[in-house]
């Protein structure tokens, strides 16, 4: 499953390429493309956030052999949720991820934004290929509601999630 990362807006330099170079199996490194979109209709000026659903609807459709993940610096919300890290159409091969809440500048830890973004990209890509939330705490598909919760997850799928993908036609057949 080849991954195309779409950069929308000003992201930290090199972030998308860093993520692409570290994507775990079964995801395959694709390309990084800068995409210009008029998001004025997606911005809620009272919340100072972008509507994740509106943004997702403006993304192009992925090619048949491709997964699309848009990265944005803006804070996202969805419906009645105060914020979301990302939003993905379950099984429809495209999604969006916000880097806004993933950094940890106050703690002074280098690389926290990159690692959290990688974990959450894997999480959203999992949804893009049909995976739901996983009960395994370390699995990238485990649900987290706050940035610090991402730090307990790995940037890979657990054996159960990988088996589900294989059973759904992604990856090599189980032996």
């Amino acid at each position: 499953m080849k991954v195309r990362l779409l950069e929308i807006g000003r992201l930290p330099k090199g972030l998308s390429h860093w993520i692409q170079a570290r994507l775990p199996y079964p995801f395959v490194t694709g390309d990084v493309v800068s995409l210009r979109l008029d998001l004025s209709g997606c911005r809620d000026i009272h919340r100072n956030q972008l509507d994740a659903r509106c943004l997702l609807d403006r993304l192009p459709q992925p090619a048949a052999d491709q997964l699309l993940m848009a990265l944005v610096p803006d804070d996202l919300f969805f419906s009645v949720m105060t914020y979301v890290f990302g939003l993905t159409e379950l099984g429809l091969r495209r999604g969006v991820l916000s880097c806004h809440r993933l950094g940890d500048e106050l703690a002074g830890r280098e690389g926290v934004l990159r690692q959290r973004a990688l974990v959450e990209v894997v999480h959203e890509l999992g949804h893009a290929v049909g995976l739901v939330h996983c009960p395994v705490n370390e699995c990238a598909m485990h649900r987290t509601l706050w940035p610090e919760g991402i730090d307990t997850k790995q940037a890979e799928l657990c054996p159960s999630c990988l088996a589900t993908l294989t059973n759904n036609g992604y990856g090599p057949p189980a032996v």
Side-chain angles (χ1 to χ4, degrees):
M1 294 171 280
K2 189 174 266 188
V3 177
R4 171 176 266 192
L5 293 181
L6 305 174
E7 296 181 323
I8 302 173
R10 293 181 57 101
L11 294 162
K13 185 176 175 80
L15 175 64
S16 298
H17 291 285
W18 187 90
I19 290 169
Q20 276 284 23
R22 288 159 180 79
L23 286 175
Y25 175 84
F27 307 112
V28 176
T29 298
D31 56 354
V32 175
V33 177
S34 182
L35 181 65
R36 291 187 181 271
L37 289 177
D38 177 12
L39 299 178
S40 57
C42 297
R43 188 165 305 282
D44 184 316
I45 58 171
H46 301 292
R47 295 173 74 141
N48 194 27
Q49 292 176 299
L50 289 179
D51 181 332
R53 176 80 248 170
C54 176
L55 175 54
L56 190 57
D57 288 342
R58 292 178 186 220
L59 294 181
Q61 291 296 321
D65 64 341
Q66 185 179 71
L67 301 174
L68 290 181
M69 186 59 50
L71 301 176
V72 298
D74 305 272
D75 201 16
L76 300 176
F77 75 94
F78 176 68
S79 187
V80 297
M81 302 279 298
T82 303
Y83 70 89
V84 292
F85 299 130
L87 184 67
T88 301
E89 296 176 310
L90 192 64
L92 297 181
R93 302 184 341 269
R94 69 180 188 167
V96 61
L97 178 76
S98 167
C99 296
H100 184 80
R101 295 177 184 262
L102 301 182
D104 195 10
E105 296 81 17
L106 296 177
R109 297 188 300 164
E110 296 284 328
V112 171
L113 167 66
R114 285 182 173 203
Q115 185 60 32
R116 287 177 179 171
L118 173 61
V119 170
E120 288 305 294
V121 163
V122 173
H123 179 92
E124 295 302 330
L125 289 171
H127 287 320
V129 293
L131 292 176
V132 296
H133 289 137
C134 177
V136 177
N137 292 336
E138 299 81 21
C139 181
M141 292 310 299
H142 188 72
R143 183 177 185 201
T144 50
L145 300 176
W146 61 93
E148 297 79 11
I150 300 168
D151 299 339
T152 65
K153 301 191 307 185
Q154 300 294 314
E156 56 191 34
L157 302 175
C158 72
S160 178
C161 286
L162 286 171
T164 298
L165 286 183
T166 299
N167 292 338
N168 290 343
Y170 294 102
V175 178

